[in-house]
Amino acid sequence: MNEDRLTKLEMLAAEQEKTIEELSAELTRQWKETERLQTKLDRLTERFLALEEQTAPDVPVTKPPHW
């Protein structure tokens, strides 16, 4: 009976180890994807701000009509 119980515990430990490895691999993959997307977002933000600056009309500095 003890040997059967020990075998079950070893199987459970092996399954948990496999699950942990799979979760770790997935977490690593998602972290890389997050970093890639953050880099892309940063570049798009820079481009958007540059385009916005180029297209923004220059507002002349004038006195209001009531002066």
Side-chain angles (χ1 to χ4, degrees):
M1 185 67 171
N2 282 338
E3 193 171 312
D4 187 40
R5 184 169 180 239
L6 181 60
T7 303
K8 287 180 181 179
L9 288 173
E10 288 174 341
M11 289 174 51
L12 179 61
E15 289 174 10
Q16 289 178 346
E17 184 177 351
K18 180 182 176 215
T19 301
I20 289 170
E21 288 174 2
E22 290 171 350
L23 289 172
S24 180
E26 181 63 20
L27 182 61
T28 300
R29 187 194 68 75
Q30 288 183 4
W31 185 260
K32 289 177 183 177
E33 179 71 8
T34 300
E35 287 179 334
R36 185 187 70 78
L37 290 172
Q38 184 62 50
T39 301
K40 189 173 186 177
L41 178 61
D42 291 343
R43 282 185 298 195
L44 288 172
T45 300
E46 288 173 15
R47 286 179 60 193
F48 175 78
L49 292 175
L51 287 172
E52 187 178 52
E53 191 174 292
Q54 290 174 0
T55 60
D58 292 331
V59 178
V61 178
T62 58
K63 291 183 180 180
H66 62 278
W67 284 81

